[in-house]
């Protein structure tokens, strides 16, 4: 395996956990300060799910980047749709209520994970030399 891929995987993991940890901490402090009596179940679920599924999908994309470099953009788009589908399925089957008052509980971790994912996938795509394959 290419050592550059392992380095990318390690850096991606560190960036994802560091960014999500800081974001969760801020989200938690602000939410508990504004609404001390509301439960944190959806907030905790949204961060765990988004970080976990992003780590799984993006790690797979990074590991497969040497062999599937022409399809990375398509795989990224499909994985985004699959993530949303799984998230909404789990929300509906677990009894959480998604309304306007808790929309940020979902959107903040989702957007954060997407941004970190885009940064790393674009880094891989920019490094890929498609012209040498012809």
């Amino acid at each position: 395996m290419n050592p550059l891929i392992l380095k990318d995987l390690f850096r991606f993991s560190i960036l994802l956990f560091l960014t999500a940890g800081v974001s969760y901490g801020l989200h938690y402090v602000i939410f508990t300060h504004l609404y001390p009596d509301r439960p944190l179940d959806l907030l905790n679920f949204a961060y765990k799910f988004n970080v976990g599924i992003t780590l799984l999908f993006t790690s797979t994309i990074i590991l497969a980047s040497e062999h599937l470099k022409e399809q990375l953009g398509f795989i990224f788009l499909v994985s985004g749709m699959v993530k949303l589908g799984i998230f909404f399925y789990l929300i509906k089957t677990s009894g959480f209520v998604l309304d306007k008052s808790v929309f940020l509980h979902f959107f903040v971790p989702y957007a954060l994970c997407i941004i970190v994912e885009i940064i790393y996938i674009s880094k891989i795509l920019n490094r890929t030399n498609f012209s040498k394959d012809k």
Side-chain angles (χ1 to χ4, degrees), residues 59-72:
S59 295
T60 303
I61 290 172
I62 290 171
L63 291 171
S65 64
E66 272 188 64
H67 304 293
L68 300 173
K69 59 186 169 187
E70 290 86 16
Q71 291 87 13
L72 285 182

Side-chain angles (χ1 to χ4, degrees), residues 18 25 51 59 62-63 93 114 117 126:
L18 183 64
V51 169
S59 295
I62 290 171
L63 291 171
T93 59
I114 288 293
E117 198 171 6
N126 285 335

Side-chain angles (χ1 to χ4, degrees), residues 27-118:
H27 204 148
Y28 176 84
V29 167
I30 291 169
F31 183 73
T32 56
H33 178 70
L34 293 175
Y35 307 104
D37 56 334
R38 290 206 184 157
L40 296 169
D41 297 342
L42 180 60
L43 179 69
N44 293 334
F45 173 75
Y47 273 93
K48 288 176 190 175
F49 174 80
N50 280 299
V51 169
I53 201 85
T54 298
L55 182 65
L56 176 70
F57 280 19
T58 308
S59 295
T60 303
I61 290 172
I62 290 171
L63 291 171
S65 64
E66 272 188 64
H67 304 293
L68 300 173
K69 59 186 169 187
E70 290 86 16
Q71 291 87 13
L72 285 182
F74 178 72
I75 292 169
F76 170 71
L77 290 174
V78 169
S79 71
M81 297 303 291
V82 169
K83 283 192 281 189
L84 279 174
I86 293 170
F87 182 78
F88 284 118
Y89 173 76
L90 292 175
I91 288 294
K92 292 296 181 188
T93 59
S94 65
F96 289 120
V97 176
L98 279 180
D99 58 8
K100 287 186 252 180
S101 66
V102 294
F103 177 72
L104 287 178
H105 290 355
F106 161 72
F107 185 73
V108 169
Y110 178 75
L112 179 83
C113 290
I114 288 293
I115 290 168
V116 172
E117 198 171 6
I118 288 171

